[in-house]
Amino acid sequence: MVGDTVGSFVGWPSDLIFPDAETPTRPTHKVGKGISRRIESVASQKEVPGRMLKSAAKDIPTTSGTKSQIMMRLEKMVDESDIMHGAIRSIDFDEGVFGAAHFEIIAKEDMQQLFEHDELGIAVIHTYIWYMYVTLMRGTELCNRFNFIAASRINATLITKNPTSVKNDLVDRFMAAGDNTTPSLYFLPFNSGNGGHWVLVAMDLSRLIVYYLDSLSGDWSKYPSMKKTVDAAIIKFRSKKNYRNRKDITWVRVQCPQQNNSVDCGFFVLRFMRDIIALNRIDIPKMYFEEYKSYSRAHLDEMKDELCQFIVD
């Protein structure tokens, strides 16, 4: 599920639904998927950080597992487009999303992961991140509190191939965001490789705390090369900035909601990021948030509807 593709996404192009749009040939490698939601004014976002996502929680659908009207509408639009015949879309992200220029490739299988509630690939993971950045963060102080790291650049497959390069990419991402002397979180959706498991690694560089959120049992010891790379990148970053390492890096295993099947890990990682941003919390409680002790299928369907609406809009 995780390839070497470099992804990204800006506004969904209006020509998505027209069969006569010119599109490049579908590449042979596999890429990820997308998500949605309406945009409020920058002023309203500044007044109430996280307001849009928290208010949406009041309208969680009761018929979980069934397709909503907005999803069926988007599915019909895709069915009538050239995407169903092998075409793709390449979409540019703001540099603020991942700290550098980024583009995402969206294709038929990416959309079907969303429609069929299947295992998520990088494109859907990245596109939902783009949705959160646009609807919650852009133009607000939340951009100084929450940062994203592209899963296409930091994952188990790439660490195995070239750990030094991955470490340096991570340091470059830290450097792009400023001095990091005030509390903020870097979200790394981490994949174990070869279509494997998703976990969330959230790093607070100012306090040298790394939060580990896994919707299956276990901790970071399952991925020793990932932990080694993250620790080395943090130490190298602090050295380049001439910060004193006042203490060792502390890793915290968060007792987060747990999945009950083999496909939901990607959805849970997205929901973790969504809730942390919506609550505007840099410190993640070890027992997770009282508001979200567990996730139902309806919580995941809510996110899919948000993404579908975002794409349709």
Side-chain angles (χ1 to χ4, degrees):
M1 187 155 56
V2 175
D4 296 342
T5 307
V6 177
S8 84
F9 185 81
V10 281
W12 191 270
S14 60
D15 69 351
L16 169 65
I17 64 172
F18 297 114
D20 58 346
E22 293 184 5
T23 53
T25 305
R26 174 68 174 154
T28 56
H29 55 268
K30 187 175 180 181
V31 291
K33 324 285 181 244
I35 299 194
S36 84
R37 181 154 189 106
R38 294 188 179 275
I39 303 173
E40 288 190 356
S41 68
V42 169
S44 68
Q45 293 181 46
K46 287 182 178 177
E47 291 166 3
V48 190
R51 165 182 158 194
M52 294 181 349
L53 289 184
K54 285 191 284 186
S55 64
K58 298 177 182 177
D59 302 316
I60 293 176
T62 55
T63 55
S64 62
T66 62
K67 292 183 179 179
S68 65
Q69 289 186 351
I70 189 60
M71 179 176 288
M72 289 188 290
R73 180 182 173 190
L74 178 59
E75 190 170 15
K76 184 175 186 295
M77 292 165 66
V78 172
D79 284 342
E80 294 174 352
S81 76
D82 56 354
I83 285 181
M84 295 305 293
H85 304 287
I88 63 171
R89 295 295 185 275
S90 178
I91 311 166
D92 295 325
F93 281 32
D94 286 1
E95 288 190 9
V97 180
F98 293 126
H102 188 86
F103 73 92
E104 198 67 60
I105 295 174
I106 307 293
K108 174 183 175 181
E109 61 263 35
D110 302 321
M111 300 306 301
Q112 288 182 330
Q113 289 177 8
L114 183 62
F115 299 148
E116 303 302 327
H117 197 88
D118 202 353
E119 296 179 10
L120 297 184
I122 286 179
V124 172
I125 297 291
H126 283 175
T127 306
Y128 192 78
I129 286 173
W130 168 246
Y131 153 71
M132 291 189 291
Y133 178 83
V134 169
T135 58
L136 283 182
M137 296 171 56
R138 189 164 61 184
T140 78
E141 84 282 358
L142 294 179
C143 286
N144 298 321
R145 292 174 62 78
F146 302 104
N147 305 278
F148 301 104
I149 298 168
S152 54
R153 301 188 66 84
I154 315 292
N155 57 65
T157 301
L158 297 182
I159 290 174
T160 300
K161 291 180 179 179
N162 194 335
T164 301
S165 176
V166 173
K167 178 189 69 177
N168 291 336
D169 279 348
L170 195 49
V171 172
D172 289 344
R173 178 65 184 103
F174 296 154
M175 296 292 289
D179 61 9
N180 293 287
T181 56
T182 57
S184 63
L185 284 181
Y186 285 84
F187 292 124
L188 169 61
F190 180 81
N191 191 276
S192 62
N194 299 318
H197 181 56
W198 289 99
V199 301
L200 180 63
V201 179
M203 294 161 271
D204 181 345
L205 303 187
S206 67
R207 297 185 298 165
L208 293 178
I209 297 175
V210 179
Y211 298 100
Y212 179 87
L213 292 85
D214 190 343
S215 56
L216 294 178
S217 59
D219 61 18
W220 53 84
S221 62
K222 294 189 291 185
Y223 311 112
S225 61
M226 178 272 290
K227 182 181 184 300
K228 181 179 179 180
T229 300
V230 168
D231 286 347
I234 293 174
I235 292 171
K236 182 174 181 178
F237 163 75
R238 293 184 65 84
S239 175
K240 291 184 71 169
K241 299 293 285 187
N242 294 318
Y243 297 152
R244 260 189 331 167
N245 284 321
R246 302 181 308 276
K247 57 181 180 179
D248 293 335
I249 300 168
T250 300
W251 282 66
V252 178
R253 166 60 157 112
V254 178
Q255 302 299 314
C256 54
Q258 300 288 284
Q259 67 189 83
N260 59 8
N261 58 31
S262 62
V263 302
D264 277 351
C265 56
F267 292 102
F268 272 58
V269 163
L270 294 177
R271 186 81 201 198
F272 294 151
M273 291 188 287
R274 178 194 194 276
D275 292 341
I276 293 166
I277 296 172
L279 294 171
N280 197 8
R281 293 284 297 272
I282 299 300
D283 58 315
I284 305 175
K286 187 172 182 179
M287 301 306 295
Y288 205 53
F289 304 108
E290 288 296 330
E291 295 90 337
Y292 300 106
K293 285 299 186 181
S294 64
Y295 293 149
S296 67
R297 174 61 183 268
H299 284 99
L300 309 185
D301 288 345
E302 180 188 19
M303 293 192 307
K304 292 191 294 184
D305 288 349
E306 290 169 353
L307 184 56
C308 289
Q309 186 68 64
F310 184 66
I311 295 172
V312 167
D313 289 344

